[in-house]
Amino acid sequence: MKFSIMNTKWLAAALVAILTFTMASCIEDGFSTSPSDQISFSVDTLDMGEVYTGELAATHRFVVYNRNNKGLNISRISLSGENAGLFRLNVDGFAGTTFSDVEIRAKDSIFVYVDVNLPENGTVDSKRVLANIDFSVNGIGSSLPLAVTGRDIIRMKGHIVTSDETFEAGRPYRLIDSLVVAPGATLTLAPGARLLFHDGARMDVRGSLRSEGTPDKPVVLTGDRTGEVIPGVSFDIMSRQWFGIIFHESSADNAMEFTEVSNTSYGVSAYGEASSATSFDNPQLTLVNCRLRNSGDVVLRAVNTSINAFGCEFAEASSDLVLLAGGSYRFDQCTASNNYLFTAISGSAWHLIPADTSADEPVMPTEAIVTNTITHGYGGDVAPTDLTKDFPDVRFQNCMFKANGTDDDNFVSCIWDADPFFYTVRDDYYFDYRVRPDSPAIGAAAPSISTSLSPIDFYGIARTSDLGAYTFTAPEE
């Protein structure tokens, strides 16, 4: 192929233009040496929250930004402080504790990941640990503070309570798989005890459980995840972190006071013998000022048994809050409200299963008295809505409902189509089922039909004639 002189001149001009543009681009993309050009961080302090000592904690990360028009060379990245040796870094894909000549192109960024493994504190208290990540750019140093809180725990795996045993307050108990209370044995949870269950772990009660929380020192049973799901959102709102509690047919004389059971897959379940008579006077389980919340299924399931619940909160479930299938039940001054976040709610606050005594797993008739209780939130209020035929021994009296209904033989002196005005703000992940000053629940309870087993609420406030689990208190000025 032959080129004319004119074509050759055009080709030469094009090559010169390309080279000129390329050289200009390289100059613009060069690295700054000006001390005024510095990096910035996505956080002011990397707070890794509370972690368990003696094990590698979950990795946290932050972003290092170069917001300048030229590239920057970070001449050194290192850890400092007396606790520096407890931390490890991963900078832009490379692990270590010290890094040199880390480049960030103009208007770009890199990720820095931080791990920590804290030694045991040797105390029942948590311990705050601090360190710094130091950076040097163009002769100027800057530091990002690191903070983490370490807590000693008692680790248990496959623990079986074969004789009477007490779990004390102080160091939390971390259950890796199952905690079993054998028939004839009693497990007592002292005021302030904390049980942290790993993914899939469960509590099987075949003997007796006595949970003895107080307003100042509640007992807590929850998942073992720490930290945040996303920045600003704690794992405390996440369900399905552990299986839950099962009270088996052999279990008896169970009592839980000022106790919180949260973030389960299946909540609290209690099973009795279909052939055995149940009564309010001899319940398998008594709940006083307890919080059962945030279940991936049902918060409280009871089958052919007897439960008394006073001053309790039942909240957040993907299905029903309370499911009753045969047996005898008493609920007084409780709050049942469902604002579950993660799926559409498929059940009701109160779900009653009709008797079927001929089935392979028979369901006995259900006797239930629910008084001075608030029912609200998403999902249905009561299922089935017409109780007349199958549930002649079920009565809701002096209760508040979201639904627009009417009184009958099953519903007596109830408040319908009402909003209790909780402090809960679902979109902000804030769940507080105390009522505001303008709530119609204030003064609407009937003390004459109440029990005397819950004279104070979860916060230690004396009971008055307010509906629900919590006594109204005027907000502070």
Side-chain angles (χ1 to χ4, degrees), residues 61 195 254 275 290 350 409:
R61 76 175 188 182
L195 277 63
N254 299 288
S275 59
C290 292
W350 306 90
D409 290 342

Side-chain angles (χ1 to χ4, degrees), residues 405-427:
T406 57
D407 286 354
D408 57 21
D409 290 342
N410 298 103
F411 298 90
V412 179
S413 300
C414 291
I415 301 173
W416 300 95
D417 190 20
D419 188 336
F421 297 116
F422 296 131
Y423 281 98
T424 292
V425 182
R426 183 173 184 262
D427 291 343

